[in-house]
Amino acid sequence: MFDNRREIMQDVFLTYLPAQRFKTSRMTVQLIAPLQRETAAANALLPAVLRRGTMRCPDMESLSAALDTLYGANIDYTVRKKGERQCVGFAAGFIDDAFTPHGEKLLEPVSAMLGELLLDPVTHGGRFLSSYVESEKANLIDAIRGLKNDKRDWADIRLMQEMCAGEPYSVLRLGDEETAGRITNQSLYVHGQALMASSRVEVIYCGSAEAQRVEDAVLTALARGAQTALPEVQRIQAPDTPRRIVETMDVTQGKLAMGYRCSSDDYPAMVLANLIFGGTSNSKLFLNVRERLSLCYYASSSYARSKNILTVSSGVETADFERAEAEIGHQLQAVQQGDWEDWEQEGALQAIRASLLSLSDSQGALENFYLGQIAAGVEETPEELAAALEQVTKERIVAAAQTVKLDTVYFLRGKEEA
């Protein structure tokens, strides 16, 4: 359980992660909103526009100058998708007070700057500056269009769009181009006001400052009204007959993506089932489908806890598409039947344990882990999750794996081959 997270004002939560080993401190302020097609693009655009300036520092030049006085503190905007939640806001990095040249305190002014960006952005006549909105909107649309450039990622995106059509989980982190194109400086300002009033705020701090001092700094910087409750995450069952989608694009290597629905609530067991199946370089997909049979250029799997979805991503020749799909299914069946050696389970356990325990080596990784836990509504620390994984038996892994059912197969093939 998180004993370091608490509500410090109405609908504003502070997670305090004390760390003495770093020379810098990190603070993030995130608005947690439901992921929806109608609002995703506006949510993604908002922090980029807010980052352009405040009423005190109305442009990037004056904002950068203000941060320079804080020994080069940096504040970047963030847009993240955590299950069916969209998390937008800012991440600040600054020298830890223990290492400032003359003992200056940077926590308070950096917190104040974060508060200004959120609550006192530069506006004119009750709206954002048109030039700022149009510039950042063009950047957003370019980023959305650019998603197609990495065909591996695009195949995974299309799999989720087809598999989870009609569900919030199918919505892109950045929204869609059509919705983004309709945003104006006035509509974005109105949306921003509503988002600030209705979203839960999560502040995560990692550094050496005392907890009470961090809380006081955040309380001074932020003042909020009541939030709107987040909707429940949708859990959908796989269809009786898996969906199959084949699309063509100018690619030299086919991309096979497969999506599975899971119904197990035994998260530690599902984590290990996924790692044995395709989550490491010692997994069944890597050693058998890629190495032994040479059916894929790459093959790996991942598991999304918030949606109970397992996905496989692979690169294949079109001629090997059916064989690769069948062999991937065969390797999953092996996991479901408990057909693995002790060293495979031990290797999976060692890999995830090392990953969890290494989170403390990076403030960014640690913050991202806790934000994901918070957005999913669970409260396991890395140490608690590592301890839970140690207790998982082979029987539990088999039981969890047996709930995995194929939902959608997506294949992206080259135009000439088609």
Side-chain angles (χ1 to χ4, degrees), residues 222-234:
L222 301 176
R224 297 291 317 290
Q227 73 158 105
T228 301
L230 290 167
E232 292 293 324
V233 174
Q234 295 184 20

Side-chain angles (χ1 to χ4, degrees), residues 394-405:
K394 185 170 186 174
E395 290 72 23
R396 284 174 59 187
I397 297 173
V398 169
Q402 287 177 350
T403 72
V404 178
K405 184 177 180 182

Side-chain angles (χ1 to χ4, degrees), residues 232-304:
E232 292 293 324
V233 174
Q234 295 184 20
R235 295 287 182 89
I236 308 295
Q237 296 297 317
D240 293 334
T241 302
R243 288 165 284 206
R244 309 184 71 84
I245 297 98
V246 178
E247 294 181 341
T248 59
M249 191 178 282
D250 187 14
V251 296
T252 57
Q253 180 190 109
K255 309 297 179 185
L256 170 61
M258 302 171 67
Y260 301 82
R261 303 278 187 177
C262 318
S263 57
S264 173
D265 290 324
D266 190 347
Y267 176 60
M270 274 304 309
V271 168
L272 290 175
N274 171 66
L275 292 173
I276 293 170
F277 174 47
T280 71
S281 58
N282 287 321
S283 68
K284 290 189 175 296
L285 291 186
F286 187 90
L287 294 180
N288 294 295
V289 184
R290 182 186 186 277
E291 296 293 299
R292 181 172 61 85
L293 298 174
S294 300
L295 290 174
C296 299
Y297 295 100
Y298 61 86
S300 63
S301 67
S302 60
Y303 173 65

